[in-house]
Amino acid sequence: MPRSSVVSAAILTGCLCLAAGPVRAETRETVQARSEAAADRVPLPLGTNDPETWRVATHPVPPLVMDAEGRLRGFSIDLWNAIARDLAVRTAFVRVDDLPALFAAVSDGRADLAIAAVSITAEREKQFDFSVTMLETGLRIAVRAGPDATGSATARALQALLRDAAFLQVLLGLAALILAVAALIWWLERRHPGGMAARARPAHGFAHVLWWALSSLAAQADEMPRSPLARAVTVVWLFTCIALVAWFTAGLTSTATVERLRGAINGPQDLPGKRVGTVVHTTSVAYLADHFATPVGFATLEEACAALEAGTVAAVVYDAPALSYYATQPDHPPLRLIGPAFNRQSYGILFTANDPRRKRVNQALLGLREDGRYDEIYGRWFGSESGEAQTR
């Protein structure tokens, strides 16, 4: 091949390489830009091991649910966290203010389920589904911690009589009458040779006769005056004592009857006819109305207990765990809890009707009961005696 042809071919090849280089570089940059744009527009699919996130509605009901500086804690929260771990799901808590808002959150789809202190009732089952029982409890009664909060009706009646000004005036008159009778008998007896105060010094003799006059009120006098005139006065005095004792007994009995009707509360049988504080939209409202009490609803348990302290309600009736926890807090007004829990009821986890999650939650909850972890959570919040929460 001639030298000139070789040179021409080399020059042509070099030109083609120079022309192709920019084209390849531009193509790589274009492909990379297109790939980045596609990655921004199309989300990457989740891995098969990524856990689900369930939205769980709840509201404060100490000690089942408490908000401690933005961190939820309590029996219901610990129980749910254990269930979520077993189900390998994440939890996004939806915090609401009260029970109606809890139902609304599940009903309108803002939450997948709800856990707090939700009683399982036939009326609620018409619209929602519940898990198996997560806690068995009931209602309790709280009264003021004053000395007249409980006790027998007779003791309270005696206290009421002693606070009655008219009764105290009668007692003062009776004391004056006893002193007058004692002075008259002493004066008559000291003049008689065999009288009760004849041989004693004046002070001792009067004290002896005064004791005799007081003993006569209870028919316990062990001797009688010797002076004829003193004996006549004694007959009148003894009949007076009978009348005084009958009057006092009648007054005490009638006051005790009134105290039984409207006095302190010692159990559910004493609730009818009384104003009883509770929290609105709870099962305790229906219980009080069904048992002839006058339910007075408040937005929170704290407001109900404040009304009890102010005396505008006679007692507070509410869920036993919440009321027991409230009564133990030092920063609250002192309360006295009356008797054991009554009107037994069960708490459950709330779902919309026919939610498939319910079966999975039930399996996890039953597993917690069977392996003892439920008892551990229960003991953490309510003590070691978990019989109230066990399946009977």
Side-chain angles (χ1 to χ4, degrees), residues 276-296:
V276 182
T278 188
V279 179
V280 294
H281 307 298
T282 61
T283 55
S284 51
V285 176
Y287 173 85
L288 292 171
D290 291 342
H291 289 77
F292 307 104
T294 302
V296 182

Side-chain angles (χ1 to χ4, degrees), residues 19-63:
V23 171
R24 285 195 299 270
E26 182 180 354
T27 301
R28 284 195 299 269
E29 293 173 359
T30 302
V31 171
Q32 182 178 0
R34 288 177 180 173
S35 298
E36 291 176 353
D40 291 338
R41 288 194 302 269
V42 181
L44 294 173
L46 293 174
T48 56
N49 294 327
D50 289 345
E52 303 174 72
T53 297
W54 290 5
R55 298 165 299 166
V56 179
T58 191
H59 76 102
V61 188

Side-chain angles (χ1 to χ4, degrees), residues 54-239:
W54 290 5
R55 298 165 299 166
V56 179
T58 191
H59 76 102
V61 188
L64 282 83
V65 180
M66 297 180 288
D67 193 338
E69 299 179 351
R71 176 176 171 269
L72 289 174
R73 54 194 296 267
F75 170 79
S76 294
I77 300 301
D78 286 357
L79 184 64
W80 173 254
N81 287 336
I83 292 172
R85 281 193 296 271
D86 284 2
L87 296 178
V89 298
R90 290 176 179 167
T91 302
F93 284 110
V94 179
R95 308 186 190 196
V96 298
D97 294 331
D98 51 30
L99 195 59
L102 192 79
F103 290 121
V106 175
S107 180
D108 61 24
R110 287 182 290 116
D112 300 312
L113 55 102
I115 187 171
V118 187
S119 299
I120 303 173
T121 66
E123 186 64 28
R124 292 169 180 172
E125 276 282 0
K126 294 178 181 178
Q127 184 179 358
F128 301 95
D129 280 346
F130 285 91
S131 69
V132 295
T133 298
M134 74 174 208
L135 181 66
E136 291 182 6
T137 180
L139 302 178
R140 286 198 79 178
I141 302 171
V143 298
R144 295 177 64 183
D148 59 343
T150 58
S152 68
T154 302
R156 287 184 276 110
L158 183 58
Q159 293 174 2
L161 286 175
L162 293 176
R163 291 193 298 265
D164 189 344
F167 182 78
L168 291 177
Q169 290 177 356
V170 173
L171 285 183
L172 290 176
L174 178 60
L177 178 61
I178 292 173
L179 287 173
V181 170
L184 179 59
I185 296 296
W186 171 76
W187 185 78
L188 294 173
E189 284 293 283
R190 69 187 299 268
R191 299 170 63 87
H192 191 278
M196 290 187 295
R199 291 181 296 275
R201 287 181 296 177
H204 289 176
F206 181 77
H208 178 70
V209 175
L210 180 61
W211 175 251
W212 169 86
L214 290 171
S215 301
S216 299
L217 283 172
Q220 296 296 319
D222 56 357
E223 60 179 316
M224 294 296 290
R226 302 295 180 86
S227 168
L229 188 55
R231 289 185 175 183
V233 172
T234 298
V235 172
V236 177
W237 172 240
L238 292 177
F239 278 106

